[in-house]
């Protein structure tokens, strides 16, 4: 069943773009103020001086435009003050005009300098965003709309303002018999957890089609994470030895917290020719099965420890099997969603919200959840959050 274009577009058709003022019109406002203040000051009585108000114009320009425009307006304001002094006092050699010019020049230089620093910060910020977006494209590849008999949709919300990707992750891979999905959450958040997320995603993409059984894939992923943690621990030990006795900064920099690192994850295997989903839960929140008659958490009877803590497992990984028929949907999410709190410290009611919107298309459902989640927390998440919807399409 080919997907129509409107099924891919999560935006409502009647959504209106917010009004934004014309930036060029705003930058003309300081010039109009210079003319207005100059004319009014010249026409005012001798005991009224409005010339000092001209300093407002470069300050206003600094909030609307860059350093060059700010400097240009500052020069025009100084020229206007010179004209006022010449017309009203017959020259600029009076103590009053010299004081005004000196003060305006000093303040204008300060304003331009601050604008230069702000421009530099904005350029650095743009470079950070560019690198972050490139990392997202390489690391967290977008899930396809259609893979086998499944329709997929995903959304990612990073906790760090300038990051596009962090410690939450998801990936899908085709196998000879079906589709495998991974959704995980690295301990920590933002860019600091990016390396562990990259390691797990690379291991999954390399091995998802090599292991015929899901427990073998889970064991391989756990071994990959444990190996990486062992490398980090060895590096920390070397730094500790170099740091000496332990009172100085080198030892603090080499402090070993790798033993506390882990990745919660859920692995799913969805056969093409079946009506079920096979699942291994490694300390991750249970996916939600969405049906017309209700929502069911797919809670594992035998959950496994998070990846990286595989030595705590009592035995082999156990596969849980749940029904997953055509028309059914799965909502897989990370704990950044259900642990998001509002101003009154109330957790986000995911199941309640999904109940109201579960009949929507997957992309629209995630669009509504994303908007509602951000509204719940006031626009900023304390932890990374990811959501994936999987729908088994009717037989063609």
């Amino acid at each position: 069943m080919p997907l129509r274009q409107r099924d891919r577009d999560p935006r409502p058709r009647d959504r209106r773009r917010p009004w934004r003022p014309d930036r060029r019109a705003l930058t003309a406002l300081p010039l109009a103020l210079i003319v207005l203040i100059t004319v009014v000051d010249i026409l005012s009585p001798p005991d009224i001086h409005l010339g000092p108000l001209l300093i407002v114009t470069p300050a206003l320009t600094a909030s609307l435009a860059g350093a060059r425009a700010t400097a240009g307006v500052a020069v025009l304001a100084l020229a206007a003050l010179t004209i006022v002094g010449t017309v009203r006092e017959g020259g600029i050699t009076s103590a009053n005009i010299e004081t005004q010019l000196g003060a305006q020049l000093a303040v204008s230089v300060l304003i331009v300098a601050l604008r230069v620093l702000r421009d530099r910060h904005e350029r650095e910020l743009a470079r950070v965003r560019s690198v972050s977006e490139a990392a997202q494209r390489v690391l967290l590849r977008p899930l396809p709309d259609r893979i086998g008999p499944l329709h997929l949709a995903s959304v990612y919300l990073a906790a760090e303002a300038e990051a596009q990707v962090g410690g939450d992750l998801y990936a899908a891979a085709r196998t000879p018999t079906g589709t495998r999905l991974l959704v995980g959450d690295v301990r920590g958040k933002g860019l600091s957890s990016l390396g562990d997320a990259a390691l797990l995603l690379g291991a999954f993409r390399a091995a998802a089609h090599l292991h015929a059984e899901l427990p073998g894939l889970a064991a391989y992923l756990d071994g990959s994470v444990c190996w990486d943690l062992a490398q980090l621990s060895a590096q920390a030990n070397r730094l500790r030895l170099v740091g000496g006795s332990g009172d100085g900064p080198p030892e603090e920099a080499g402090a070993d917290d790798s033993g506390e690192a882990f990745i919660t994850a859920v692995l799913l295997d969805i056969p093409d020719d079946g009506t079920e989903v096979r699942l291994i839960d490694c300390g991750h929140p249970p996916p939600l099965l969405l049906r017309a008659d209700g929502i069911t958490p797919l809670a594992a009877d035998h959950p496994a420890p998070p990846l990286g803590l595989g030595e705590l497992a009592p035995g082999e990984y156990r596969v849980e099997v749940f029904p997953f028929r055509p028309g059914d949907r799965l909502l897989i999410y990370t704990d950044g969603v259900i642990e998001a709190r509002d101003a009154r410290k109330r957790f986000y009611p995911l199941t309640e919200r999904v109940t109201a919107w579960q009949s929507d298309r997957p992309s629209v459902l995630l669009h509504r959840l994303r908007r509602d989640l951000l509204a719940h927390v006031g626009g900023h998440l304390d932890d990374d959050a990811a959501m994936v919807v999987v729908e088994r399409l009717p037989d063609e």
Side-chain angles (χ1 to χ4, degrees), residues 295 348-358 365 369 372 376:
I295 299 176
Y348 182 70
L350 177 62
T351 303
E352 176 185 331
R353 296 295 197 268
V354 173
T355 301
W357 302 321
Q358 62 175 319
L365 171 62
L369 285 175
D372 189 63
H376 180 79

Side-chain angles (χ1 to χ4, degrees), residues 206-285:
H209 62 285
L210 298 178
H211 295 270
E213 300 297 330
L214 206 57
L217 175 60
Y220 174 82
L221 296 179
D222 178 75
S224 299
V225 175
C226 289
W227 177 86
D228 183 63
L229 296 180
Q231 297 300 310
L232 291 177
S233 179
Q235 182 181 10
N237 290 333
R238 288 194 297 270
L239 290 174
R240 183 180 297 108
L241 291 175
V242 173
S245 60
D247 294 331
E251 183 181 2
E252 294 177 2
D256 180 18
D257 64 350
S258 59
E260 300 179 359
F262 55 83
I263 305 175
T264 67
V266 60
L267 280 168
L268 299 97
D269 195 352
I270 306 176
D272 287 346
D273 57 355
T275 57
E276 63 185 26
V277 56
R278 302 162 188 164
L279 179 149
I280 292 180
D281 192 326
C282 300
H284 201 78

Side-chain angles (χ1 to χ4, degrees), residues 138-149:
V138 173
L139 176 61
L140 199 63
R141 303 170 189 168
L143 296 178
D145 290 338
R146 174 79 179 266
I147 181 170

Side-chain angles (χ1 to χ4, degrees), residues 136-144 152-158 164-173 180-186 196-198 200-202 204-205 263-268 284 332-334 337 366 384-390:
Q136 183 187 38
R137 289 192 296 268
V138 173
L139 176 61
L140 199 63
R141 303 170 189 168
L143 296 178
L152 306 180
S154 61
V155 65
Y156 193 102
L157 296 170
Q164 300 294 322
V165 63
D168 289 3
L169 55 98
Y170 49 75
R180 281 179 173 169
L181 291 164
L182 167 69
V183 177
D185 182 3
V186 179
D196 292 334
L200 183 59
L201 285 170
F204 173 78
R205 289 166 181 153
I263 305 175
T264 67
V266 60
L267 280 168
L268 299 97
H284 201 78
I332 316 161
Y333 54 93
T334 60
V337 177
L366 287 185
D384 301 323
M387 292 179 282
V388 177
V389 173
V390 184

Side-chain angles (χ1 to χ4, degrees), residues 3 15 21 49 79 123 147 165 189 254 261 267 280 294 317 368 380:
L3 296 176
R15 185 179 181 184
H49 299 278
R123 288 194 297 269
I147 181 170
V165 63
K189 64 181 180 181
L267 280 168
I280 292 180
Y317 288 92
R368 293 182 185 277
H380 176 71

